[in-house]
mmCIF file of all heavy atoms in Angstrom:
data_model
loop_
_atom_site.group_PDB
_atom_site.id
_atom_site.type_symbol
_atom_site.label_atom_id
_atom_site.label_comp_id
_atom_site.label_asym_id
_atom_site.label_seq_id
_atom_site.Cartn_x
_atom_site.Cartn_y
_atom_site.Cartn_z
ATOM 1 N N LEU A 61 82.405 -58.505 -2.527
ATOM 2 C CA LEU A 61 81.181 -58.788 -1.849
ATOM 3 C C LEU A 61 81.089 -60.289 -1.713
ATOM 4 O O LEU A 61 80.834 -61.048 -2.682
ATOM 5 C CB LEU A 61 79.984 -58.280 -2.688
ATOM 6 C CG LEU A 61 78.564 -58.628 -2.175
ATOM 7 C CD1 LEU A 61 78.361 -57.955 -0.840
ATOM 8 C CD2 LEU A 61 77.509 -58.237 -3.160
ATOM 9 N N ARG A 62 81.206 -60.785 -0.488
ATOM 10 C CA ARG A 62 81.247 -62.190 -0.229
ATOM 11 C C ARG A 62 79.817 -62.686 -0.093
ATOM 12 O O ARG A 62 78.998 -62.076 0.519
ATOM 13 C CB ARG A 62 81.964 -62.518 1.065
ATOM 14 C CG ARG A 62 83.484 -62.063 0.995
ATOM 15 C CD ARG A 62 84.186 -62.496 2.246
ATOM 16 N NE ARG A 62 85.568 -62.065 2.162
ATOM 17 C CZ ARG A 62 86.569 -62.737 1.549
ATOM 18 N NH1 ARG A 62 86.284 -63.850 0.979
ATOM 19 N NH2 ARG A 62 87.797 -62.260 1.527
ATOM 20 N N THR A 63 79.555 -63.809 -0.768
ATOM 21 C CA THR A 63 78.231 -64.413 -0.717
ATOM 22 C C THR A 63 77.961 -65.162 0.582
ATOM 23 O O THR A 63 76.809 -65.516 0.869
ATOM 24 C CB THR A 63 78.022 -65.361 -1.911
ATOM 25 O OG1 THR A 63 78.949 -66.429 -1.843
ATOM 26 C CG2 THR A 63 78.204 -64.610 -3.223
ATOM 27 N N GLY A 64 79.018 -65.503 1.321
ATOM 28 C CA GLY A 64 78.873 -66.279 2.530
ATOM 29 C C GLY A 64 79.092 -67.760 2.276
ATOM 30 O O GLY A 64 79.135 -68.574 3.218
ATOM 31 N N ILE A 65 79.166 -68.178 0.999
ATOM 32 C CA ILE A 65 79.410 -69.573 0.616
ATOM 33 C C ILE A 65 80.919 -69.687 0.325
ATOM 34 O O ILE A 65 81.367 -69.190 -0.726
ATOM 35 C CB ILE A 65 78.528 -70.018 -0.536
ATOM 36 C CG1 ILE A 65 77.086 -69.720 -0.274
ATOM 37 C CG2 ILE A 65 78.757 -71.497 -0.823
ATOM 38 C CD1 ILE A 65 76.509 -70.397 0.957
ATOM 39 N N ALA A 66 81.631 -70.351 1.218
ATOM 40 C CA ALA A 66 83.108 -70.383 1.087
ATOM 41 C C ALA A 66 83.573 -71.025 -0.230
ATOM 42 O O ALA A 66 84.467 -70.427 -0.914
ATOM 43 C CB ALA A 66 83.701 -71.124 2.261
ATOM 44 N N LEU A 68 82.095 -71.085 -3.179
ATOM 45 C CA LEU A 68 81.775 -70.108 -4.271
ATOM 46 C C LEU A 68 82.665 -68.890 -4.250
ATOM 47 O O LEU A 68 83.200 -68.489 -5.227
ATOM 48 C CB LEU A 68 80.329 -69.713 -4.181
ATOM 49 C CG LEU A 68 79.849 -68.677 -5.228
ATOM 50 C CD1 LEU A 68 80.076 -69.189 -6.625
ATOM 51 C CD2 LEU A 68 78.335 -68.398 -5.036
ATOM 52 N N ASP A 69 82.885 -68.352 -3.012
ATOM 53 C CA ASP A 69 83.760 -67.179 -2.894
ATOM 54 C C ASP A 69 85.169 -67.528 -3.302
ATOM 55 O O ASP A 69 85.870 -66.689 -3.897
ATOM 56 C CB ASP A 69 83.676 -66.641 -1.487
ATOM 57 C CG ASP A 69 82.319 -65.977 -1.138
ATOM 58 O OD1 ASP A 69 81.645 -65.614 -2.043
ATOM 59 O OD2 ASP A 69 81.995 -65.932 0.038
ATOM 60 N N LEU A 72 85.490 -67.692 -7.019
ATOM 61 C CA LEU A 72 85.432 -66.352 -7.575
ATOM 62 C C LEU A 72 86.630 -65.552 -7.210
ATOM 63 O O LEU A 72 86.781 -64.362 -7.690
ATOM 64 C CB LEU A 72 84.139 -65.643 -7.160
ATOM 65 C CG LEU A 72 82.838 -66.205 -7.640
ATOM 66 C CD1 LEU A 72 81.653 -65.441 -7.062
ATOM 67 C CD2 LEU A 72 82.783 -66.225 -9.167
ATOM 68 N N GLY A 75 84.990 -63.382 -4.051
ATOM 69 C CA GLY A 75 83.630 -63.020 -4.062
ATOM 70 C C GLY A 75 83.385 -62.096 -5.326
ATOM 71 O O GLY A 75 84.200 -62.029 -6.215
ATOM 72 N N LEU A 76 82.286 -61.457 -5.348
ATOM 73 C CA LEU A 76 81.962 -60.537 -6.421
ATOM 74 C C LEU A 76 82.624 -59.248 -6.193
ATOM 75 O O LEU A 76 82.598 -58.707 -5.081
ATOM 76 C CB LEU A 76 80.412 -60.312 -6.533
ATOM 77 C CG LEU A 76 79.581 -61.482 -6.973
ATOM 78 C CD1 LEU A 76 78.095 -61.130 -6.858
ATOM 79 C CD2 LEU A 76 79.915 -61.880 -8.402
ATOM 80 N N PHE A 98 67.806 -63.572 -7.378
ATOM 81 C CA PHE A 98 69.243 -63.630 -7.042
ATOM 82 C C PHE A 98 69.839 -62.257 -6.915
ATOM 83 O O PHE A 98 70.621 -61.940 -6.023
ATOM 84 C CB PHE A 98 70.015 -64.502 -8.049
ATOM 85 C CG PHE A 98 71.415 -64.771 -7.704
ATOM 86 C CD1 PHE A 98 71.738 -65.747 -6.703
ATOM 87 C CD2 PHE A 98 72.475 -64.054 -8.246
ATOM 88 C CE1 PHE A 98 73.059 -65.995 -6.397
ATOM 89 C CE2 PHE A 98 73.791 -64.332 -7.910
ATOM 90 C CZ PHE A 98 74.065 -65.348 -6.974
ATOM 91 N N LEU A 102 71.540 -60.317 -3.647
ATOM 92 C CA LEU A 102 72.775 -59.584 -3.587
ATOM 93 C C LEU A 102 72.604 -58.123 -3.163
ATOM 94 O O LEU A 102 73.459 -57.608 -2.480
ATOM 95 C CB LEU A 102 73.456 -59.652 -5.001
ATOM 96 C CG LEU A 102 73.896 -61.006 -5.533
ATOM 97 C CD1 LEU A 102 74.469 -60.920 -6.920
ATOM 98 C CD2 LEU A 102 74.878 -61.656 -4.563
ATOM 99 N N LEU A 105 72.425 -58.011 0.524
ATOM 100 C CA LEU A 105 73.779 -58.104 1.091
ATOM 101 C C LEU A 105 74.526 -56.732 0.947
ATOM 102 O O LEU A 105 75.253 -56.358 1.865
ATOM 103 C CB LEU A 105 74.566 -59.194 0.472
ATOM 104 C CG LEU A 105 74.030 -60.649 0.623
ATOM 105 C CD1 LEU A 105 74.942 -61.642 -0.092
ATOM 106 C CD2 LEU A 105 73.959 -61.018 2.118
ATOM 107 N N LEU A 264 72.275 -72.897 -4.177
ATOM 108 C CA LEU A 264 72.211 -72.022 -3.084
ATOM 109 C C LEU A 264 70.705 -71.847 -2.646
ATOM 110 O O LEU A 264 69.852 -71.860 -3.482
ATOM 111 C CB LEU A 264 72.775 -70.662 -3.355
ATOM 112 C CG LEU A 264 74.204 -70.643 -3.900
ATOM 113 C CD1 LEU A 264 74.683 -69.160 -4.062
ATOM 114 C CD2 LEU A 264 75.215 -71.405 -3.085
ATOM 115 N N VAL A 272 70.681 -64.443 4.384
ATOM 116 C CA VAL A 272 71.990 -64.963 4.001
ATOM 117 C C VAL A 272 71.739 -66.134 3.044
ATOM 118 O O VAL A 272 70.695 -66.742 3.021
ATOM 119 C CB VAL A 272 72.825 -65.401 5.226
ATOM 120 C CG1 VAL A 272 73.233 -64.217 6.078
ATOM 121 C CG2 VAL A 272 72.086 -66.474 6.004
ATOM 122 N N PHE A 273 72.801 -66.406 2.280
ATOM 123 C CA PHE A 273 72.795 -67.602 1.389
ATOM 124 C C PHE A 273 73.256 -68.841 2.253
ATOM 125 O O PHE A 273 74.122 -68.736 3.158
ATOM 126 C CB PHE A 273 73.785 -67.428 0.271
ATOM 127 C CG PHE A 273 73.211 -66.575 -0.867
ATOM 128 C CD1 PHE A 273 73.777 -65.348 -1.127
ATOM 129 C CD2 PHE A 273 72.161 -67.021 -1.650
ATOM 130 C CE1 PHE A 273 73.292 -64.528 -2.162
ATOM 131 C CE2 PHE A 273 71.639 -66.253 -2.668
ATOM 132 C CZ PHE A 273 72.201 -65.012 -2.928
#
Side-chain angles (χ1 to χ4, degrees):
L61 173 66
R62 299 186 181 275
T63 63
I65 307 301
L68 177 58
D69 292 335
L72 294 176
L76 292 175
F98 188 78
L102 295 178
L105 296 178
L264 307 183
V272 293
F273 282 113

